[in-house]
Amino acid sequence: MKRFKIQIAAMLAAGSMLFATSCEDFLEVPAVGQLSEAQLTTLEGLNAALIATYSQVNGRNQRMASPSNWVWGSIRGGDANKGTDPGDFATINPIQRFEADPTINILEEAWNGAYEGVARANAVLRLLDKKAPSVTDAQARSIEAQTRFLRAHYYFMLYRNFNKVPIVPHTVDYGSEEFKNLSNDQEMLPFIEAEFRFAAEALPATQPQVGRVNSWAAKAYLGKVLLYAKKYAEAKQVFDDVIANGRTSNNLPYGLVPYYDDMFRGANDNHQESVWAYQSAANTGSVNNANPEFDLNFPYNTGPNGPGNCCGFFQPSFTFVNAFRTNAQGLPLLDNSFNQPANRVVSDMGLTSAQPFTPDAGRLDPRLDHTVGRRGIPYLDWQDHPGEAWIRNQPNGGPYSPKKYVYKRAEQGSFQDNSSWTPGYTGINFMIIRFADVLLMAAEAEVELGNLEAARAHVNRVRTRAKNSALLRPNGQPAANYVVETYTAPWTDANTARTAVRFERNLELGMEGHRFYDLVRWGIAKPTLDFYFALDGTLLAAALGGSVFTAGVDEWLPIPQNQIDLMGSDKLRQNPGF
């Protein structure tokens, strides 16, 4: 094969690793250690190839291809700063500052990891074209629907980061003229929408294995794509169905987990809020089976009295933390006054752990302390966060630590794996879509359709759970002054309702990789990120000072230059501004 193959092709050709083509060789004896096409076109073989397609969802050793999008969605969205030291994983620095160029190697991790998923999906579809007579049409249709769901997910990942990318049919011969002529000149969302529609229609409502996607997960993902396409009426119809009738693959009616933190605990995996998650397991002999999302994103230098012990990345931003301030009515400060000096959450920035510090006594939404580790507040069941002692470099990342998807002391050895270089691999599933996300996407569609009271009802479901999720100290007392209430007054102004829904997504889904993509599709990335840089860029001047988001350019990442060189700039066109 020639070098024009994009590494898409290296990825897509990786599908060939799933099976070996036969050759008319001596006695036509298959090579030892290889599987023949005949073996892989049986039901067992097809399922093995499908499982390989599922397994790529977490990125498989390509951290920047994981669906947590902790860099692409959260750091770029202002939820978090890179943290740690300036020189540690320095290729993230220009990403958070919006100074990326096409030669940064982590861009290729995002690109290659997603196209590896496409490769594996296409390999399954090629095998299905030659399925053994013993495979029934119903079995084939189920495998095809799961595969096309996964392929749509991988393309959605590519779309959100790079905009237009080549769509590769599974029938293309890598090296053919058809392959050589692939380009990135087509819109992505219509193709992705069609794939999820097929999956929604063809998948069953439940599955014999909980990790397999079902029709309701496909409908929820379809609704998300429709929202991105601004097809609000269609999205509403889909979300209404999912909210009223949806069930998990293991047949639990969709709902909110009663206590906020419980959805991030390994023992509760595959709960009623988990619309689609990739399955993680600890202590299986390989951390490849665990959740590798956040192996770098634990408090630094904790020793035996804290989790992970490495490496201090992914530190929540000042602007994000301040957004959890509430007013006397228990509502968020929708006018963005939370960054004003009088409203900022008091932190221990600039203090050592030996210096005295009293946590903020003002009104706060309790989701703050389920999302962010801050000094003087219980850090899960380990101890009160000690502040600077767990922070690698305060001037570079700030005083806060991430908290979601971090294992508890009680989960050591059961939902946490000690077999690798860091104990930060867990058996906690990562939720790509959860029910609160669906409710808030539905609220968004309702606002755009003028149904403001329906939107308020969805938002209030989410806020009611927040109200019932106060973080308690071991003595049973609240860890902070939690004051959060629902919106009791009717929503009559569309702009105010829109602001409230968008604000709620930030509070509810913060640090889960959504924020930047939301800002881009809402068309408010520039003012929102300017607001973030105004505070965090001042307090963390060495890391963020002078950072600027350029509208019309920074909504997308540059396509990796290596890929353009391989394919040709006449076929793979660079995004504007790079």
Side-chain angles (χ1 to χ4, degrees), residues 216 235-246 438 442 446 458:
W216 294 110
K236 168 185 162 53
Q237 184 177 11
V238 171
F239 288 137
D240 284 350
D241 188 19
V242 171
I243 292 168
N245 304 304
V438 173
E446 297 285 15
H458 290 321

Side-chain angles (χ1 to χ4, degrees), residues 296-453:
L296 303 179
N297 302 346
F298 290 84
Y300 181 69
N301 199 30
T302 61
N305 293 315
N309 210 25
C310 182
C311 295
F313 285 80
F314 199 38
Q315 293 183 243
S317 71
F318 291 97
T319 298
F320 175 65
V321 168
N322 293 341
F324 289 88
R325 178 71 73 200
T326 60
N327 63 21
Q329 291 73 47
L331 299 176
L333 307 183
L334 299 182
D335 61 356
N336 284 351
S337 61
F338 53 82
N339 266 1
Q340 293 178 4
N343 291 330
R344 295 175 192 171
V345 175
V346 176
S347 78
D348 65 322
M349 184 68 177
L351 299 178
T352 69
S353 293
Q355 293 176 289
F357 173 75
T358 301
D360 191 290
R363 295 179 296 267
L364 294 168
D365 186 318
R367 285 173 292 187
L368 168 62
D369 290 326
H370 293 298
T371 306
V372 176
R374 58 193 185 99
R375 183 172 173 185
I377 303 298
Y379 195 84
L380 302 174
D381 60 348
W382 292 95
Q383 60 172 301
D384 285 0
H385 193 292
E388 179 262 348
W390 278 12
I391 304 298
R392 191 168 189 176
N393 186 328
Q394 268 197 1
N396 192 66
Y400 302 117
S401 301
K403 210 168 185 181
K404 288 181 178 176
Y405 293 106
V406 173
Y407 63 93
K408 298 178 76 170
R409 185 192 295 269
E411 293 174 311
Q412 284 183 295
S414 55
F415 295 100
Q416 170 270 336
D417 198 303
N418 285 309
S419 65
S420 187
W421 68 277
T422 173
Y425 291 92
T426 76
I428 303 170
N429 291 354
F430 181 81
M431 293 174 288
I432 299 168
I433 301 177
R434 58 183 178 91
F435 188 60
D437 184 9
V438 173
L439 288 172
L440 294 175
M441 288 191 291
E444 184 179 332
E446 297 285 15
V447 167
E448 300 307 324
L449 293 169
N451 305 321
L452 305 188
E453 283 299 275

Side-chain angles (χ1 to χ4, degrees), residues 60-79:
R60 305 303 291 179
N61 297 318
Q62 292 174 304
R63 186 179 286 109
M64 295 301 155
S66 73
S68 71
N69 289 304
W70 63 274
V71 172
W72 313 122
S74 286
I75 289 178
R76 283 199 299 164
D79 282 358

